[in-house]
Amino acid sequence: MFKRLIVTFVLVISLPAAAQLSPSVARSIEKAQTLEQDAKLGEAIAVLEALSAERAYDKAFVNRALGVFYWQYGNNDKAIVHIQRAVDSEQLKDAQAWQTKRMLADLLLIDGQYASALQYYYPLARAIPKEKTDQSEDVWLRIMQAHYQREQWSQVLNAYPAYQGVVKNGASVSALSLKLGAQLQLEQWRGATPTLKALLKLEPENKQWWRQLAANYVRLEQPKEAISTYLLAQRKGVELEPSEQRTVAQLYANIGVPERAATWLKRLPENEQDAQTLAQQASLWQQAREWPQAASAWRLAAQKDRQYHWQLALMQIQQGDYQQALTSLDKAGKGASAKEIALTKVRAYYKLKQFDQALKQARIAKKIAPDEAVESWLTFLKKRQQMQQRG
């Protein structure tokens, strides 16, 4: 996630006091700098590689210059070799030594040598020269990045307070992102909430932070906060994914607002409206006592999966649509047993005052599995039949 690192080097090499460099070396470095400024980097490197410096300080400074030029040239391996030589010589002092070690640490970080980079970063962070204090924030950020790349989540969080202690204008998005990533890896959901809110203050239009904050509230089992976040994200222009819309529907269902839950499912794209989703909608509409909506959803679900003809029939009977219920029951080969279907037909035919048909279905139910309910219907319907015949 955080593999793009920005490394800032001082590309203009300042010459030290004349007494520190041999005249010939100083002239060669000046020539190399001029070539570099004229976009002749290969020639600048050739000038320095041809040097036969004798003095230790000359060698250290030439290696430092070569390291910078090789980095500009895109050869990180050689850049590391030369900067490492300059550091190991211990000839560079004070701010110059600090900056060279910083270059080495950054190169090692880019090269994926995170443990080696950290061996330099920590001493650098704890001994920053006065003239380099503006770099302290960046050094602690690199420490967090190196630990993050090593998946050392606790060390990322341990470095954050030190970083926070040196920042001037508040934590950056990069630092907060590293902190958040570590918190999520460690499942520190509660701590991740203020981190996400801080990120949203810096990047209120970033859809990722809205999504993660809402998901975090879901993990914390704070449904009302999660719903509010999803709704606010929508107002900010975040187009919720179908999975997120389903999450919102489930959250509304969890807090006892089935009508809104069903509405969110109804808003799903057409290709997401499978039989199971439609059945969920229908069930939620029923909970909300929105009977026409429920019947419509059951009908659509039944068109895609015949098992839902059973629920549709029950819904139709509840609404007094007995003839339609019988049609649905004829198609309800799945979702209910043959006995359940027969007994439900008994009820529908009875309501339609078609007692002979009702009795026929009761006898079918008895053949399948006789019980007290079946016997009660048979006794009742036989008496009705006898009364009709007498009348």
Side-chain angles (χ1 to χ4, degrees):
M1 182 178 176
F2 299 99
K3 291 184 178 179
R4 290 185 300 170
L5 304 176
I6 302 170
V7 178
T8 304
F9 284 165
V10 180
L11 298 180
V12 178
I13 305 169
S14 302
L15 289 176
Q20 290 182 275
L21 275 179
S22 300
S24 60
V25 171
R27 284 193 296 272
S28 294
I29 288 178
E30 286 179 343
K31 182 180 179 181
Q33 279 188 314
T34 300
L35 289 167
E36 183 270 333
Q37 290 166 7
D38 290 339
K40 297 177 180 179
L41 201 53
E43 293 179 36
I45 289 171
V47 168
L48 295 183
E49 287 284 19
L51 272 176
S52 299
E54 298 294 332
R55 294 173 57 211
Y57 182 81
D58 289 344
K59 289 180 181 178
F61 198 87
V62 169
N63 275 314
R64 180 181 186 271
L66 275 169
V68 174
F69 287 152
Y70 272 122
W71 174 76
Q72 287 180 272
Y73 202 64
N75 191 330
N76 280 10
D77 290 341
K78 284 196 172 183
I80 289 172
V81 168
H82 286 285
I83 295 293
Q84 185 79 64
R85 288 173 182 170
V87 168
D88 291 346
S89 72
E90 297 185 354
Q91 292 297 310
L92 306 176
K93 304 299 180 184
D94 303 325
Q96 193 179 67
W98 189 94
Q99 187 64 46
T100 306
K101 289 176 182 177
R102 165 72 195 278
M103 291 179 187
L104 178 58
D106 286 346
L107 283 167
L108 291 169
L109 187 62
I110 283 182
D111 199 51
Q113 299 182 47
Y114 307 118
S116 297
L118 285 165
Q119 290 178 355
Y120 286 99
Y121 278 130
Y122 274 110
L124 286 167
R126 291 167 182 149
I128 297 178
K130 289 182 180 180
E131 59 268 42
K132 300 292 181 182
T133 53
D134 60 325
Q135 296 187 36
S136 57
E137 175 182 337
D138 204 37
V139 171
W140 279 109
L141 179 61
R142 300 306 166 82
I143 288 171
M144 292 175 66
Q145 288 170 329
H147 282 305
Y148 193 96
Q149 294 296 335
R150 299 194 73 198
E151 299 184 0
Q152 296 173 326
W153 316 121
S154 295
Q155 286 91 324
V156 173
L157 297 181
N158 290 340
Y160 184 80
Y163 162 84
Q164 200 171 26
V166 296
V167 295
K168 295 179 180 178
N169 300 313
S172 67
V173 170
S174 295
L176 287 167
S177 298
L178 290 165
K179 181 183 180 183
L180 174 65
Q183 288 172 323
L184 295 180
Q185 290 291 339
L186 294 171
E187 298 185 1
Q188 294 183 7
W189 316 127
R190 199 163 298 281
T193 300
T195 306
L196 281 161
K197 287 181 177 179
L199 282 163
L200 278 169
K201 282 185 178 179
L202 294 174
E203 294 185 338
E205 305 305 320
N206 191 318
K207 298 176 182 181
Q208 177 186 358
W209 308 139
W210 286 110
R211 286 194 161 98
Q212 287 190 319
L213 180 59
N216 203 52
Y217 280 129
V218 173
R219 294 189 192 101
L220 289 168
E221 297 182 359
Q222 296 178 332
K224 291 182 180 179
E225 289 80 359
I227 290 170
S228 296
T229 304
Y230 277 123
L231 294 178
L232 190 54
Q234 274 196 321
R235 295 191 196 105
K236 292 287 185 179
V238 177
E239 186 174 345
L240 299 186
E241 300 290 336
S243 61
E244 293 169 319
Q245 292 177 259
R246 291 179 186 276
T247 297
V248 176
Q250 187 59 55
L251 290 167
Y252 272 123
N254 290 348
I255 63 173
V257 190
E259 183 178 356
R260 291 191 181 179
T263 300
W264 273 83
L265 288 179
K266 192 174 182 179
R267 290 173 183 166
L268 285 168
E270 182 63 31
N271 62 352
E272 292 283 331
Q273 298 289 351
D274 57 16
Q276 186 177 4
T277 300
L278 289 163
Q280 288 175 325
Q281 278 185 52
S283 179
L284 289 163
W285 287 125
Q286 280 186 242
Q287 292 176 42
R289 298 183 180 276
E290 295 287 346
W291 312 123
Q293 296 268 39
S296 176
W298 282 127
R299 190 174 292 105
L300 291 171
Q303 289 172 4
K304 297 193 175 189
D305 189 334
R306 63 177 298 187
Q307 69 170 307
Y308 296 116
H309 280 293
W310 169 245
Q311 285 90 342
L312 174 59
L314 294 178
M315 184 80 253
Q316 289 166 333
I317 284 176
Q318 181 182 323
Q319 294 301 296
D321 297 329
Y322 303 114
Q323 196 62 56
Q324 291 182 21
L326 286 167
T327 302
S328 297
L329 287 167
D330 286 338
K331 299 176 182 178
K334 293 168 62 179
S337 67
K339 180 184 175 182
E340 287 176 315
I341 291 171
L343 280 173
T344 307
K345 284 184 175 181
V346 170
R347 183 181 172 193
Y349 279 122
Y350 173 75
K351 290 291 186 179
L352 290 168
K353 297 183 180 181
Q354 297 179 23
F355 303 122
D356 290 345
Q357 290 293 337
L359 184 57
K360 180 182 177 180
Q361 292 298 324
R363 285 170 177 159
I364 291 172
K366 183 178 180 178
K367 286 181 182 179
I368 297 169
D371 60 18
E372 289 185 10
V374 174
E375 290 298 334
S376 295
W377 270 113
L378 282 168
T379 301
F380 175 73
L381 290 168
K382 284 176 182 177
K383 286 182 179 178
R384 290 289 307 206
Q385 191 180 52
Q386 290 171 0
M387 287 172 65
Q388 275 188 321
Q389 290 171 352
R390 288 172 189 167

